[in-house]
Amino acid sequence: MIFLFGLTFNSCFAHEVRPAYLQIDQISDSNEYSVLWKVPRTVDKVLNIQPKFENGFDLNETISPRILDAFVLYTYKLTGSKNLTNTLLTINNLNTTGIDVLVDVRLLNEVHHTFLLQPTKSSVIIPETPSKWTVAKVYIILGIEHIILGFDHLLFVLALLIITVGFKKLLKTITAFTIAHSITLSFSVLGIANLPGPPVEAVIALSIVFLAIEILKLQQGKSTFTSQKPWLVAFIFGLLHGFGFAGAIQDIGLPQNEIPLALATFNIGVELGQIIFVVIILIFIKFVKPQIPQQTWINKLVPYAIGSVSAFWLIERITGF
């Protein structure tokens, strides 16, 4: 466990980097397009990446760049001597970064394309016919990346794994967490229910603090509500975590004509990432933990590490209201 917590501490002070987002909307039959370009930023840095189109297309800024939360927004008008179909789109300098770019292309003939460009694949030829499989693949990847880079969600799952004894109970607990966050993620994206992001993020951090305290009580030989019914605790807090996932997917954006498919595959991606994490932890527990000296101070290091990281997040998020 010590190694994993080392990774957690190294990562806990960095916020998750969202994908960049490029939206291209055709506005006339004469090959004119409005372009929205959202680039992730940190406190003092904006990534130096730009969309590049084939020769014959001119990209001109129409609104001055503006800051919106963790992004810088650029607005352009794109004009071309031909249609975008079968032309090459490239994101310059993407191979020097560690982020993805979600591309959304909407044409007047109601054709809608969704692509995910990455540092290893920074260009795409815009096809004539959209593919549902392309949309599914994009949002599965985004779901996996979100959970793997969502250190607070992973820390919550890790705490549940420590508390829950027995494979059957563990399976029930993880299933309850999955069902819960899938419900609120769907409700939020579909506009059925919603909660403001900052308080949700703060309560997510508080939920991890709660589990850290529950682990300490369990180590002291005390029976806790979480150890008796971890599935119920996972379900209750999973509802809040779902609103957290919803904030991320709203930042990313959804293809308007494929919302059910994108939402379902994003959920699948989140679960695949979660399963990968759980399997890694279970392998660690089985093969590595027996080699670690089972001293009291070492055992207490785990919940104190979880509690310290999540308490820092809690304070940081409350002060950010």
Side-chain angles (χ1 to χ4, degrees), residues 53-220:
F53 299 87
E54 283 189 1
N55 291 336
F57 287 93
D58 293 317
L59 191 64
N60 298 295
E61 188 174 274
T62 56
I63 300 176
S64 298
R66 55 204 187 278
I67 295 175
L68 179 64
D69 298 328
F71 294 93
V72 177
L73 272 61
Y74 302 87
T75 305
Y76 303 99
K77 182 178 180 181
L78 177 69
T79 55
S81 58
K82 55 184 174 180
N83 192 277
L84 273 176
T85 300
N86 295 320
T87 65
L88 183 69
L89 168 65
T90 302
I91 305 298
N92 279 349
N93 300 323
L94 187 60
N95 60 340
T96 64
T97 74
I99 70 161
D100 301 334
V101 176
L102 181 64
V103 180
D104 201 22
V105 181
R106 306 172 189 179
L107 305 179
L108 287 178
N109 59 3
E110 299 186 354
V111 169
H112 190 158
H113 298 287
T114 301
F115 311 104
L116 188 68
L117 299 181
Q118 299 175 298
T120 56
K121 184 181 181 299
S122 59
S123 61
V124 65
I125 294 178
I126 300 171
E128 293 183 10
T129 306
S131 166
K132 289 184 181 294
W133 165 241
T134 299
V135 175
K137 184 171 64 173
V138 164
Y139 281 89
I140 287 174
I141 293 172
L142 288 172
I144 292 173
E145 289 183 348
H146 178 69
I147 190 67
I148 294 299
L149 296 175
F151 300 110
D152 49 359
H153 302 295
L154 291 184
L155 209 55
F156 181 85
V157 173
L158 176 58
L160 284 175
L161 285 172
I162 295 171
I163 292 174
T164 308
V165 178
F167 181 77
K168 187 175 181 180
K169 186 181 286 188
L170 175 61
L171 182 62
K172 187 177 180 181
T173 300
I174 297 300
T175 301
F177 182 63
T178 295
I179 292 172
H181 70 63
S182 297
I183 290 172
T184 47
L185 169 59
S186 301
F187 280 10
S188 181
V189 170
L190 297 175
I192 298 173
N194 212 336
L195 290 176
V200 167
E201 295 297 329
V203 176
I204 287 174
L206 183 61
S207 72
I208 307 169
V209 174
F210 169 78
L211 289 185
I213 296 172
E214 293 285 279
I215 294 172
L216 285 171
K217 289 180 179 178
L218 195 61
Q219 288 180 348
Q220 295 167 1

